[in-house]
Amino acid sequence: MGLSLLLALPAHAGLAARDERVRSLAFEFFPGADRLGAFEGEPLAASVSAGERLLGYVFLTDDVTALPAYSGKPISTLVGFDLAGRITGVRIVHHEEPILVIGVTEDHLGAYIDQYRGLDVRDRVKIGGQPRPDAVTIDGISGATITTMVLNASITRAVRKVAESRGVPIAGDGAAAEAASGSSAAAMDGDLTPLWVESWQGRRLDIWILGAGLVLLTAILVLQDWLTRYPRLLGYIRVGFLVYTLGFIGWYALAQLSVINVFTFTNALMHEFRWETFLIEPLIFILWGFVGVTVLLWGRGVYCGWLCPYGALQELVNKLAVRLKVPQFEIPALVHERLLAIKYIILLGLFGLSLQSIADVVRFAEVEPFKTAITLRFDRAWPFVAYALGMVVVSVFDSKFFCKYLCPLGAALTFPSRFRIFDWLHRRKECGRPCQTCAKECPSQAIRPTGEINALECHYCLDCQVTFWNPYRCPPLVERRKRFERRGQKVRLTL
């Protein structure tokens, strides 16, 4: 039975409605079976028989261990196991996971869950990484780390509970059963560790690397007045950090933030908030914590200009284009101001949809090409790839076009940015009256013709600050430098 048919089944539907769909799956798990019992007992499970001969049991994971997934709700999965303690089949029945709605095909998902077939109910299962003698290692799904972790924990923990309640023995030749048989109690104790704790322990190296990057970025921001006086050094640092953001945070760690994160958090606040829902992905959690602090201190530009992998991809491509002398196109200021409204309209529409269901909004949140370009590394159907690449191509001629006009995440970050505490970017009284140097050089067109920096649209690239301290580019400083040179003195750089 196809996954698309199963998605219509509610997680806790009545037995009559559930049996209609579950029956065919149960018989698929147990060839030759002709009878499915009622879901009963503690925990709930149904017996599967051939005539009078009991073959095994089936159950729904959310009836046993309702672990919240990325959407904040459990993934309802039907699992079957035989009397020898072998898993005979696994199928997802209902979910609201964004990555499974769009991004992961049914073939990918089927290949993942099929790896559980034949495992012993006591096998410890780990996803990816180096093989361990005390565990069975299976392949995960690229870009669906949280979902696969929750599926794995739900399946393995629930099947043990049901098997023990039905008196099913441990199979003697399981891949990890020989290691688990002598320390079954210890293994079970280990499985009581919260899922988010296991996730943080498993990604310790990644956490350290991310932490080091964020410490470096904090130092750059704090020392910006000094660094911007050395444009060549700052240029190398910035390009290096953008490469780090794209390579490590994006394509390696898959820690691209999304407007879906915002809606998931908002939905959790309005319904049942649980910290473990967000702690399960440590890098995403740390990044959002850092963004929350920097938005109040510097504004949205710290994330959009330094930590967004897709933004980094666009900017690196544009920097290469500029070096190759590709002509740049700047949208007129009046048109630019009108176009800025598009991303807010998109955000408003997505927010309205999110009030109904996170799964519904995900389809329309594909306006963000993040999943295609970063999470799935362009391994996707051609329309998605064409859109993601198209936005990159546009950025060759107009730096970060998508970020300026279409990004709903950037729009969402402008709201807390209105409460930023400090204004770290310097301006002179001549800025905009009449000097337009910084305004013309600003890649995000965040400097108005009157000279003010629009902090809600600034990506904090610091280009204007480099010009601010440059006695050969900033017209007021150029005039001051010439006066000092006529006196035989060295120009003093002051505010």
Side-chain angles (χ1 to χ4, degrees), residues 196-429:
W196 71 268
V197 174
E198 292 183 5
S199 178
W200 283 67
Q201 291 173 343
R203 304 200 69 178
R204 280 176 292 188
L205 179 59
D206 294 345
I207 291 171
W208 277 106
I209 296 175
L210 176 62
L214 297 182
V215 169
L216 174 59
L217 178 55
T218 302
I220 293 171
L221 296 172
V222 171
L223 300 175
Q224 65 182 50
D225 284 348
W226 178 79
L227 282 171
T228 49
R229 303 186 193 203
Y230 301 90
R232 184 181 296 272
L233 173 62
L234 179 60
Y236 289 139
I237 291 175
R238 178 154 177 80
V239 170
F241 202 94
L242 291 175
V243 171
Y244 160 84
T245 295
L246 176 60
F248 173 74
I249 296 179
W251 285 334
Y252 173 79
L254 305 179
Q256 169 78 62
L257 302 188
S258 165
V259 74
I260 296 299
N261 303 140
V262 178
F263 295 144
T264 302
F265 185 78
T266 304
N267 186 268
L269 288 177
M270 293 189 297
H271 296 90
E272 184 179 355
F273 183 85
R274 302 175 64 173
W275 275 114
E276 53 265 37
T277 301
F278 305 97
L279 285 167
I280 197 171
E281 178 46 79
L283 301 190
I284 297 289
F285 184 85
I286 292 171
L287 272 174
W288 270 116
F290 186 81
V291 170
V293 173
T294 55
V295 159
L296 293 179
L297 294 178
W298 287 278
R300 64 166 279 213
V302 174
Y303 175 75
C304 296
W306 293 84
L307 292 171
C308 176
Y310 189 71
L313 173 61
Q314 294 177 86
E315 185 164 346
L316 288 170
V317 167
N318 182 261
K319 285 183 177 295
L320 178 60
V322 171
R323 183 173 288 273
L324 295 176
K325 302 187 184 306
V326 175
Q328 299 296 295
F329 175 76
E330 184 173 298
I331 295 176
L334 184 61
V335 178
H336 166 75
E337 289 290 335
R338 301 297 185 270
L339 292 179
L340 291 177
I342 296 177
K343 61 178 178 286
Y344 295 99
I345 295 173
I346 293 173
L347 175 65
L348 184 62
L350 293 176
F351 176 71
L353 288 172
S354 73
L355 297 177
Q356 176 175 314
S357 170
I358 292 295
D360 290 340
V361 76
V362 166
R363 294 181 173 87
F364 295 91
E366 285 296 324
V367 68
E368 291 182 330
F370 306 158
K371 189 180 300 179
T372 300
I374 305 300
T375 307
L376 300 177
R377 306 185 187 95
F378 294 103
D379 182 16
R380 208 173 179 193
W382 73 264
F384 296 101
V385 174
Y387 172 63
L389 285 177
M391 289 294 99
V392 175
V393 170
V394 172
S395 70
V396 169
F397 308 98
D398 187 342
S399 180
K400 301 178 79 170
F401 178 91
F402 171 81
C403 302
K404 290 186 290 189
Y405 305 123
L406 301 177
C407 182
L409 176 59
L413 291 178
T414 64
F415 291 96
S417 293
R418 298 173 187 273
F419 301 99
R420 73 186 188 284
I421 302 171
F422 303 107
D423 189 359
W424 299 69
L425 300 179
H426 304 302
R427 308 301 289 151
R428 301 186 190 278
K429 65 181 187 326

Side-chain angles (χ1 to χ4, degrees), residues 172-187:
D173 59 348
E178 292 173 1
S181 61
S183 57
S184 178

